[in-house]
C-alpha cells in the first residue's frame, strides 16, 4: 500500500497541477524538475517518472510491476522506491 506520505504528495501534485497551468505544463514535460522545484523532492536519476494526463476520451490504467513472490504482493505494490 502507498504510504501516507506518498498519498499526500500525490494529492498535492495533482491539486497543484489543476490549479496552476504553468506547473501542470512543467510536470508534463519534465516531471522530476517540476517536483523538485515545487516540493523540494529530488527523485534519483535512476528512476523513471512519467506523467500522463487523462482526457475526456482517454483513461490510463497503470499495471504495477509483478512481484517476484506471491506472498509479498501487498508489500511490493504501490510502494515508492525512491
Amino acid at each position: 500500500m502507498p504510504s501516507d506520505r506518498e498519498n499526500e504528495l500525490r494529492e498535492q501534485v495533482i491539486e497543484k497541477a489543476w490549479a496552476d497551468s504553468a506547473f501542470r505544463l512543467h510536470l508534463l514535460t519534465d516531471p522530476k524538475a517540476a517536483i523538485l522545484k515545487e516540493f523540494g523532492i529530488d527523485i534519483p536519476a535512476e528512476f523513471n517518472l512519467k506523467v500522463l494526463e487523462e482526457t475526456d476520451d482517454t483513461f490510463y490504467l497503470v499495471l504495477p510491476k509483478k512481484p517476484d513472490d506471491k506472498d509479498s504482493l501487498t508489500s511490493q505494490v504501490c510502494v515508492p522506491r525512491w
Side-chain angles (χ1 to χ4, degrees):
M1 296 297 296
S3 69
D4 289 341
R5 183 173 179 261
E6 181 188 3
N7 282 330
E8 183 179 340
L9 176 62
R10 180 180 289 122
E11 289 175 14
Q12 289 174 348
V13 169
I14 291 169
E15 288 175 12
K16 177 73 175 169
W18 285 346
D20 182 341
S21 60
F23 172 73
R24 184 183 134 278
L25 181 59
H26 194 199
L27 186 66
L28 287 166
T29 58
D30 191 351
K32 289 182 182 183
I35 291 172
L36 177 61
K37 180 179 179 187
E38 189 62 36
F39 298 96
I41 297 172
D42 190 11
I43 299 171
E46 64 268 15
F47 291 102
N48 293 313
L49 175 61
K50 296 181 183 183
V51 176
L52 304 171
E53 184 175 29
E54 292 183 355
T55 64
D56 290 337
D57 63 352
T58 304
F59 173 79
Y60 295 97
L61 175 65
V62 178
L63 295 176
K65 178 181 174 265
K66 183 178 178 182
D68 294 331
D69 178 26
K70 206 167 128 179
D71 294 336
S72 63
L73 177 65
T74 58
S75 67
Q76 292 186 30
V77 174
C78 299
V79 176
R81 295 175 293 168
W82 42 269

